[in-house]
Amino acid sequence: MEIHDLGDGEPEVAVVGAIHGDEPCGARAVERLLDADLAPERPVRLIVANEAALDAGERYLDADLNRAFPGNPDAAAHEVRLAADLVDALAGCTTLAIHSTQSYAEPFAVIDSMDEVTRAVAPHLPVDAVIQTDAFTEGRLIEHPHTLEVEAGLQGSEGAADNAYWLARAFLAATGAITAPGADDVLDAGGREDVSVFRLRERIPKPDAEAYEVFARNFERVESGERFAAADGEPLLADEPFYPVLLSPNGYRDQFGYVADRVGTLE
């Protein structure tokens, strides 16, 4: 784990990249932040988490780090030990964890629940949507208090790397750690109220097949009876209306993505 502290005092705000080694956008955002000469107004901690998996170009070495929290320092698995170290490194910090996806090219935020930190910070992030995942957060870093995840874009793309940097800059400005670009004071944009909030309801399983397709678009309503995916050419139809989230043919081994409900907008 690579840690960089900026500013004076114990870190209060943190940005974490490379929780998954096949998602380099967060590590690249950390590199750009280090090169940006930020002069933070609150102490900041920047972390590249799973360096070994990043160097190997693998999602993880022994276990999925984002299913291993709070971890165990005495565990045999590299990522389970690393999870315990990362939790210690983030103690007392409001945290942004940067990821990327195989299902959606534009940024969106992922939260455990709609708490005061989310309501204060999320409206200032350049995201298309906020996803509440409280039914599916076991072992994930967003169970850590005052933590938001962002999906920066398509895994391995230049777009995701660029988005990750600007998401991190926006997060640091929204938490009062740096000033907004072109502004004299800490960012206070007044918030955005047009960002939709979705809550995950259930997984969409994949039947055994050689080839998969998806036809629905993430965050766009699928009507009852509508074809949203196919397995070996056999269509899958919606039993009831839903909003697909993280829907892709190849993003997960055993599921297409998630069924979600649109529960409102950021206020």
Side-chain angles (χ1 to χ4, degrees):
M1 182 166 59
E2 176 184 315
I3 299 176
H4 303 271
D5 289 345
L6 307 179
D8 298 325
E10 192 67 21
E12 300 172 355
V13 180
V15 175
V16 182
I19 285 176
H20 291 135
D22 59 353
E23 298 175 7
C25 62
R28 292 179 62 182
V30 168
E31 292 172 3
R32 286 183 67 180
L33 291 169
L34 290 171
D35 290 339
D37 194 21
L38 295 177
E41 299 183 9
R42 297 177 66 191
V44 173
R45 176 161 285 176
L46 305 177
I47 298 177
V48 178
N50 200 344
E51 290 182 276
L54 183 66
D55 290 343
E58 300 289 345
R59 187 170 181 84
Y60 53 82
L61 300 185
D62 299 323
D64 189 334
L65 177 56
N66 210 29
R67 301 296 184 273
F69 293 99
N72 182 341
D74 299 318
H78 163 70
E79 280 82 6
V80 180
R81 297 193 306 273
L82 182 58
D85 292 341
L86 188 53
V87 167
D88 287 344
L90 296 173
C93 290
T94 299
T95 300
L96 181 74
I98 301 174
H99 292 267
S100 55
T101 174
Q102 295 186 38
S103 64
Y104 195 70
E106 300 304 320
F108 60 92
V110 182
I111 62 170
D112 180 31
S113 59
M114 188 61 70
D115 61 13
E116 68 277 6
V117 173
T118 300
R119 293 188 183 280
V121 174
H124 300 283
L125 301 181
V127 295
D128 279 2
V130 174
I131 312 304
Q132 184 175 337
T133 65
D134 53 329
F136 301 94
T137 57
E138 184 175 359
R140 293 176 62 166
L141 183 58
I142 51 174
E143 287 188 308
H144 182 78
H146 309 313
T147 298
L148 292 83
E149 285 184 3
V150 287
E151 298 284 354
L154 294 176
Q155 186 175 317
S157 69
E158 288 298 321
D162 198 48
N163 290 340
Y165 173 70
W166 289 109
L167 285 160
R169 288 289 300 251
F171 170 78
L172 293 175
T175 53
I178 64 171
T179 57
D184 294 327
D185 298 310
V186 171
L187 176 67
D188 183 8
R192 297 169 58 202
E193 297 182 357
D194 59 340
V195 177
S196 293
V197 179
F198 299 86
R199 185 172 186 267
L200 300 188
R201 177 161 31 106
E202 59 187 81
R203 295 180 174 91
I204 304 173
K206 278 181 175 177
D208 289 335
E210 295 293 325
Y212 300 99
E213 301 171 90
V214 297
F215 309 111
R217 296 171 63 89
N218 282 288
F219 308 121
E220 295 185 10
R221 181 181 167 97
V222 173
E223 300 298 340
S224 180
E226 183 178 344
R227 180 186 69 162
F228 64 88
D232 284 343
E234 189 68 26
L236 280 71
L237 307 180
D239 294 330
E240 58 183 339
F242 74 96
Y243 288 88
V245 170
L246 291 168
L247 185 71
S248 76
N250 303 310
Y252 297 98
R253 180 180 56 83
D254 56 358
Q255 67 185 77
F256 279 106
Y258 293 89
V259 169
D261 298 313
R262 186 179 181 276
V263 295
T265 59
L266 288 178
E267 296 178 357

